[in-house]
Amino acid sequence: NEVTPEQARDTLYYIMKQFYYWYDLMPSVTRTNYSNPYDLLEAMRYNDLDRWSFVADYEEFINEMEGTFVGHGFRIGLDEEGNARIALIYKNAPLYSQGVRRGWIVKQIKDTDVAPILLSGDGAAYSDLIGPATVGYTNKFLFENPDGLPVTITSAKSTFTLNTVILYDTIHLKNDKIAGHLVFESFIEPSEDELKTAFKYFHDNNATELILDLRYNSGGYL
């Protein structure tokens, strides 16, 4: 039988009481005041320290573990000068096939300046600007490429498989050793084959050291 939102809420309440790390610092709530686990978690979360707890839809969670993603396929961040830049872009992403790469400046989305939104820390405003994770949802981007030239691209969100090994190559060290260099984002179903490919490359190129870059790894699930 399908679990109702109320049943899921009650289960979450029990889990939070029994296993939550900050169990003794949670706000006191009446679970029946909330109709679903999403709202209950927001009420029970210890906001001073907890930046990680969330409730996931089952199908969305399974899709994430399988590497299925809907969107434009990039992560965005601010540089030291306050420019919004592509921090990471997946190789199967729609924008990657149109030439967009890590480091490009994102000037505007839908004729709206992006950097001020990121500087303000207004995540909701950015989410509204980029739009829903819906296949076919289209955005117009104004980029600045590494040559300083403006590039306008209209791109529709699509479904694609994430690559979790963002980059692998070798680096010659000063002590004449060869290091394998691996930029790794997350461990999900596609990761095993990607890692096998990367480490075969390291082996074939006589790498004896490993440089592991986990800057874009957000941590693990229980």
Side-chain angles (χ1 to χ4, degrees), residues 153-195:
I153 296 176
T154 298
S155 177
K157 294 185 179 183
S158 67
T159 302
F160 61 92
T161 301
L162 303 176
N163 59 289
T164 62
V165 172
I166 305 303
L167 173 71
Y168 64 89
D169 57 5
T170 55
I171 297 174
H172 289 260
L173 306 178
K174 289 182 178 179
N175 59 8
D176 291 329
K177 291 185 177 181
I178 298 174
H181 172 224
L182 180 72
V183 183
F184 187 58
E185 186 210 22
S186 57
F187 196 93
I188 54 177
E189 189 173 307
S191 302
E192 184 173 354
D193 288 340
E194 294 179 46
L195 290 169

Coordinates of all heavy atoms in Angstrom, one line a residue, residues 153-195:
I153 N 23.3 32.3 -25.4 CA 22.9 30.9 -25.7 C 21.5 30.7 -25.1 O 21.2 31.0 -23.9 CB 23.8 29.9 -25.1 CG1 25.2 30.0 -25.8 CG2 23.3 28.5 -25.3 CD1 26.2 29.0 -25.2
T154 N 20.6 30.2 -25.9 CA 19.3 29.8 -25.4 C 19.3 28.3 -25.3 O 19.6 27.6 -26.3 CB 18.1 30.3 -26.4 OG1 18.1 31.7 -26.4 CG2 16.8 29.8 -25.9
S155 N 19.0 27.8 -24.1 CA 19.1 26.4 -23.8 C 17.9 25.8 -23.1 O 17.4 26.5 -22.2 CB 20.4 26.1 -23.0 OG 20.5 24.7 -22.7
A156 N 17.5 24.7 -23.5 CA 16.3 24.0 -22.8 C 16.9 22.9 -21.9 O 17.8 22.2 -22.2 CB 15.4 23.3 -23.9
K157 N 16.3 22.8 -20.7 CA 16.6 21.8 -19.8 C 16.3 20.4 -20.3 O 15.3 20.3 -21.0 CB 15.9 22.0 -18.4 CG 16.3 23.3 -17.7 CD 15.7 23.4 -16.3 CE 16.1 24.7 -15.6 NZ 15.6 24.8 -14.3
S158 N 17.1 19.5 -20.0 CA 16.9 18.1 -20.6 C 17.3 17.1 -19.5 O 17.9 17.4 -18.5 CB 17.7 17.9 -21.8 OG 19.1 17.9 -21.6
T159 N 17.0 15.8 -19.8 CA 17.4 14.7 -18.9 C 18.7 14.2 -19.4 O 18.8 13.9 -20.6 CB 16.3 13.6 -18.9 OG1 15.1 14.2 -18.5 CG2 16.7 12.5 -18.0
F160 N 19.6 14.0 -18.5 CA 20.9 13.4 -18.9 C 21.5 12.7 -17.7 O 21.1 12.8 -16.6 CB 21.9 14.4 -19.5 CG 22.2 15.5 -18.5 CD1 23.4 15.4 -17.7 CD2 21.5 16.7 -18.4 CE1 23.7 16.4 -16.8 CE2 21.8 17.7 -17.5 CZ 22.9 17.6 -16.7
T161 N 22.6 11.9 -17.9 CA 23.3 11.2 -16.9 C 24.5 12.0 -16.5 O 25.3 12.4 -17.3 CB 23.7 9.8 -17.4 OG1 22.5 9.0 -17.8 CG2 24.4 9.0 -16.3
L162 N 24.6 12.1 -15.1 CA 25.7 12.9 -14.6 C 27.0 12.1 -14.8 O 27.1 10.9 -14.7 CB 25.5 13.2 -13.1 CG 24.3 13.9 -12.7 CD1 24.2 14.0 -11.2 CD2 24.2 15.3 -13.3
N163 N 28.1 12.8 -15.0 CA 29.4 12.2 -14.8 C 30.0 12.7 -13.5 O 30.0 13.8 -13.1 CB 30.4 12.6 -16.0 CG 30.6 14.1 -16.0 OD1 29.7 14.9 -16.4 ND2 31.8 14.6 -15.7
T164 N 30.4 11.7 -12.7 CA 30.8 12.0 -11.3 C 32.3 12.2 -11.2 O 32.8 12.8 -10.3 CB 30.4 10.9 -10.3 OG1 31.0 9.7 -10.7 CG2 28.9 10.8 -10.3
V165 N 33.1 11.6 -12.2 CA 34.5 11.9 -12.3 C 34.6 13.1 -13.2 O 34.3 13.0 -14.5 CB 35.3 10.7 -12.9 CG1 36.7 11.2 -13.2 CG2 35.3 9.6 -11.9
I166 N 34.8 14.3 -12.7 CA 34.8 15.5 -13.4 C 36.0 15.6 -14.3 O 35.9 16.1 -15.4 CB 34.7 16.7 -12.5 CG1 33.5 16.6 -11.5 CG2 34.6 18.0 -13.3 CD1 32.1 16.4 -12.3
L167 N 37.1 15.1 -13.8 CA 38.4 15.2 -14.6 C 39.4 14.2 -14.1 O 39.4 13.9 -12.9 CB 39.0 16.6 -14.4 CG 40.4 16.9 -15.0 CD1 40.3 16.9 -16.5 CD2 41.0 18.2 -14.5
Y168 N 40.1 13.6 -15.0 CA 41.3 12.8 -14.6 C 42.4 13.0 -15.5 O 42.2 13.1 -16.7 CB 41.0 11.3 -14.4 CG 40.6 10.6 -15.7 CD1 41.5 10.0 -16.5 CD2 39.2 10.5 -16.1 CE1 41.2 9.3 -17.7 CE2 38.9 9.9 -17.2 CZ 39.8 9.3 -18.0 OH 39.5 8.6 -19.2
D169 N 43.6 13.2 -15.0 CA 44.8 13.4 -15.8 C 46.0 13.1 -15.0 O 45.9 12.6 -13.8 CB 44.9 14.9 -16.4 CG 44.8 15.9 -15.3 OD1 44.9 15.6 -14.1 OD2 44.8 17.1 -15.7
T170 N 47.2 13.3 -15.5 CA 48.4 13.1 -14.7 C 49.2 14.3 -14.6 O 49.2 15.2 -15.5 CB 49.3 12.0 -15.4 OG1 49.5 12.3 -16.7 CG2 48.6 10.6 -15.3
I171 N 50.0 14.4 -13.5 CA 50.8 15.6 -13.3 C 52.2 15.1 -12.9 O 52.4 14.2 -12.1 CB 50.3 16.4 -12.1 CG1 48.9 17.0 -12.4 CG2 51.2 17.6 -11.7 CD1 48.2 17.7 -11.3
H172 N 53.2 15.7 -13.6 CA 54.6 15.3 -13.3 C 55.1 16.2 -12.1 O 55.1 17.4 -12.2 CB 55.5 15.6 -14.5 CG 55.3 14.6 -15.6 ND1 56.1 13.5 -15.8 CD2 54.3 14.5 -16.5 CE1 55.6 12.7 -16.8 NE2 54.5 13.3 -17.2
L173 N 55.5 15.5 -11.0 CA 55.9 16.2 -9.8 C 57.4 16.6 -9.9 O 58.2 16.0 -10.7 CB 55.6 15.3 -8.6 CG 54.2 14.9 -8.4 CD1 54.1 14.0 -7.2 CD2 53.2 16.0 -8.3
K174 N 57.8 17.5 -9.0 CA 59.2 17.9 -9.0 C 60.2 16.8 -8.7 O 61.4 16.9 -9.0 CB 59.4 19.1 -8.0 CG 58.7 20.4 -8.5 CD 59.0 21.5 -7.5 CE 58.4 22.8 -7.9 NZ 58.6 23.9 -7.0
N175 N 59.7 15.8 -7.9 CA 60.6 14.7 -7.6 C 60.6 13.6 -8.6 O 61.0 12.4 -8.4 CB 60.2 14.1 -6.2 CG 58.7 13.6 -6.2 OD1 58.1 13.5 -7.3 ND2 58.2 13.2 -5.1
D176 N 60.1 13.9 -9.8 CA 60.1 13.0 -11.0 C 59.1 11.9 -10.9 O 59.0 11.1 -11.8 CB 61.5 12.4 -11.2 CG 62.5 13.4 -11.7 OD1 62.1 14.4 -12.4 OD2 63.7 13.2 -11.4
K177 N 58.3 11.9 -9.9 CA 57.2 11.0 -9.8 C 56.0 11.5 -10.6 O 55.9 12.7 -10.9 CB 56.7 10.8 -8.3 CG 57.8 10.0 -7.5 CD 57.2 9.7 -6.1 CE 58.2 8.9 -5.3 NZ 57.7 8.6 -3.9
I178 N 55.1 10.6 -11.0 CA 53.9 10.9 -11.7 C 52.7 10.7 -10.8 O 52.6 9.7 -10.2 CB 53.8 10.1 -13.0 CG1 54.9 10.3 -13.9 CG2 52.4 10.4 -13.7 CD1 54.9 9.4 -15.2
A179 N 51.9 11.8 -10.7 CA 50.7 11.7 -9.9 C 49.4 11.6 -10.7 O 49.3 12.4 -11.7 CB 50.6 12.9 -9.0
G180 N 48.6 10.7 -10.4 CA 47.2 10.8 -11.0 C 46.4 11.8 -10.3 O 46.5 12.0 -9.1
H181 N 45.7 12.6 -11.1 CA 44.9 13.7 -10.6 C 43.4 13.5 -10.9 O 43.1 13.3 -12.0 CB 45.4 15.0 -11.2 CG 44.5 16.2 -10.9 ND1 44.1 17.1 -11.9 CD2 43.9 16.6 -9.8 CE1 43.3 18.0 -11.4 NE2 43.2 17.8 -10.1
L182 N 42.6 13.4 -9.8 CA 41.2 13.0 -10.0 C 40.3 14.0 -9.3 O 40.5 14.3 -8.1 CB 41.0 11.6 -9.3 CG 39.6 11.0 -9.3 CD1 39.2 10.6 -10.8 CD2 39.4 9.9 -8.4
V183 N 39.4 14.6 -10.1 CA 38.4 15.5 -9.5 C 37.1 14.7 -9.5 O 36.6 14.3 -10.5 CB 38.2 16.7 -10.4 CG1 37.2 17.7 -9.8 CG2 39.5 17.4 -10.6
F184 N 36.6 14.4 -8.2 CA 35.5 13.5 -8.0 C 34.4 14.2 -7.3 O 34.6 14.9 -6.3 CB 36.0 12.3 -7.2 CG 35.0 11.2 -7.0 CD1 34.5 10.6 -8.2 CD2 34.6 10.8 -5.8 CE1 33.6 9.5 -8.0 CE2 33.7 9.8 -5.7 CZ 33.1 9.1 -6.8
E185 N 33.2 14.1 -7.9 CA 32.1 14.8 -7.3 C 31.3 14.0 -6.3 O 31.0 14.4 -5.2 CB 31.1 15.3 -8.4 CG 30.0 16.2 -7.8 CD 28.7 16.1 -8.6 OE1 28.5 15.1 -9.3 OE2 27.9 17.0 -8.5
S186 N 30.8 12.8 -6.7 CA 29.9 12.1 -5.8 C 30.0 10.6 -6.2 O 30.2 10.3 -7.3 CB 28.5 12.6 -5.8 OG 28.0 12.5 -7.1
F187 N 29.7 9.7 -5.2 CA 29.7 8.3 -5.5 C 28.3 7.8 -5.7 O 27.5 7.6 -4.7 CB 30.4 7.5 -4.4 CG 30.8 6.1 -4.8 CD1 32.0 5.9 -5.4 CD2 29.8 5.1 -4.8 CE1 32.4 4.6 -5.8 CE2 30.2 3.8 -5.2 CZ 31.5 3.5 -5.7
I188 N 27.9 7.6 -6.9 CA 26.6 7.0 -7.3 C 26.8 5.9 -8.3 O 27.9 5.5 -8.5 CB 25.6 8.2 -7.8 CG1 26.3 8.9 -9.0 CG2 25.3 9.1 -6.7 CD1 25.4 9.9 -9.6
E189 N 25.7 5.4 -8.8 CA 25.8 4.2 -9.6 C 26.8 4.3 -10.8 O 27.5 3.4 -11.0 CB 24.4 3.8 -10.2 CG 24.3 2.5 -10.8 CD 22.9 2.1 -11.2 OE1 22.0 2.1 -10.3 OE2 22.6 1.8 -12.3
P190 N 26.8 5.4 -11.6 CA 27.7 5.5 -12.7 C 29.2 5.6 -12.3 O 30.1 5.4 -13.1 CB 27.3 6.7 -13.5 CG 25.9 7.0 -13.0 CD 25.9 6.6 -11.5
S191 N 29.5 5.9 -11.0 CA 30.8 6.2 -10.6 C 31.8 5.0 -10.7 O 33.0 5.2 -11.0 CB 30.8 6.6 -9.1 OG 30.0 7.7 -8.9
E192 N 31.3 3.8 -10.5 CA 32.2 2.6 -10.5 C 32.9 2.5 -11.8 O 34.2 2.4 -11.8 CB 31.4 1.4 -10.2 CG 32.4 0.1 -10.0 CD 31.6 -1.1 -9.6 OE1 30.4 -1.0 -9.2 OE2 32.3 -2.2 -9.5
D193 N 32.2 2.5 -12.9 CA 32.8 2.4 -14.2 C 33.7 3.6 -14.5 O 34.8 3.5 -15.1 CB 31.8 2.2 -15.3 CG 31.1 0.9 -15.3 OD1 31.7 -0.1 -14.7 OD2 30.0 0.7 -15.8
E194 N 33.3 4.8 -14.1 CA 34.1 6.0 -14.3 C 35.4 5.9 -13.6 O 36.5 6.3 -14.1 CB 33.4 7.3 -13.9 CG 32.1 7.6 -14.7 CD 31.4 8.8 -14.2 OE1 32.1 9.8 -13.9 OE2 30.2 8.8 -14.0
L195 N 35.4 5.4 -12.3 CA 36.6 5.3 -11.5 C 37.5 4.2 -12.1 O 38.8 4.4 -12.1 CB 36.3 5.0 -10.1 CG 35.6 6.2 -9.3 CD1 35.1 5.7 -8.0 CD2 36.6 7.3 -9.1

